[in-house]
Amino acid sequence: MLPETATRKVDRRWPWYALAVMGLAALLLVAAALLREGSSTPGEELYAPGFEDVAVSTEDTSYPPSDVLRFGERPEVVYVYLAFEDLPRGRDLEARVEHSRRQSALSWLLAGGDGLEVSDGQEEHLGPSGDGISGVVKFAVRAESGEPLPAGEYTVSIYAAEEGTKAKDAAARKYFIIQD
């Protein structure tokens, strides 16, 4: 006597909750990959009228001959140049730097802060223009330790406030990358 296998069916379907968990995990992986790849692209954004250009360079000049968006080596200092025209008088400019890099969770917990600083703006070749002033302001980004800047993605935000007010609005942003 042979067993009858044609009438017996084995239920080999995945339970609905297992499929839901696998689908959610796949969505999370795709979202993490998109966020990692699209974190920042080298370039600039100018928000305020009168701001003409933002350039970065390792050269300490009045204005760099070319804008560098990716540094192949880790420089000790990066200069950020903000060119403007007909900027209203009495504007206070301030720069802040943000740094991000890919790293493991353990190194992130142990590393702490980045220890970056932005020097006060040095005014280069300012002169009267229309109802305001025109020229270049230069900021220097350095590591507080004096070592070369760490590899990663950088965002330098420049804020402008009218004299006597506390409110500062983002006027320009520059994005660049230092490779290891």
Side-chain angles (χ1 to χ4, degrees):
M1 206 191 264
L2 295 171
E4 190 177 320
T5 58
T7 58
R8 273 177 135 190
K9 292 188 180 179
V10 178
D11 190 14
R12 294 186 187 244
R13 286 192 238 164
W14 287 77
W16 66 269
Y17 55 85
L19 293 174
V21 168
M22 289 181 4
L24 182 61
L27 283 174
L28 288 174
L29 288 174
V30 169
L34 289 175
L35 287 175
R36 181 176 286 178
E37 289 176 9
S39 55
S40 73
T41 303
E44 65 189 51
E45 296 174 358
L46 301 171
Y47 304 113
F51 291 99
E52 300 290 323
D53 189 31
V54 181
V56 293
S57 175
T58 56
E59 296 180 44
D60 185 9
T61 65
S62 57
Y63 199 80
S66 64
D67 188 19
V68 181
L69 299 177
R70 293 181 190 271
F71 295 91
E73 297 179 5
R74 295 175 43 204
E76 289 187 21
V77 63
V78 170
Y79 296 98
V80 180
Y81 299 87
L82 174 66
F84 52 89
E85 189 172 323
D86 296 331
L87 189 69
R89 295 179 190 273
R91 286 287 195 135
D92 182 30
L93 299 177
E94 175 186 323
R96 298 180 199 154
V97 64
E98 296 174 28
H99 171 246
S100 64
R101 64 178 175 259
R102 292 182 188 163
Q103 58 187 2
S104 69
L106 180 61
S107 65
W108 179 76
L109 288 171
L110 297 176
D114 287 330
L116 299 176
E117 65 181 5
V118 179
S119 68
D120 290 335
Q122 299 174 356
E123 300 169 350
E124 302 281 336
H125 309 291
L126 294 184
S129 172
D131 293 334
I133 55 174
S134 295
V136 175
V137 173
K138 175 175 55 175
F139 300 94
V141 177
R142 293 183 171 86
E144 290 176 349
S145 64
E147 295 179 12
L149 291 166
E153 299 173 353
Y154 287 77
T155 302
V156 177
S157 301
I158 301 170
Y159 296 89
E162 291 188 33
E163 197 170 40
T165 65
K166 297 264 185 197
K168 294 187 179 186
D169 298 321
R173 284 198 172 89
K174 184 67 173 188
Y175 308 99
F176 62 93
I177 296 174
I178 297 178
Q179 299 170 337
D180 206 10

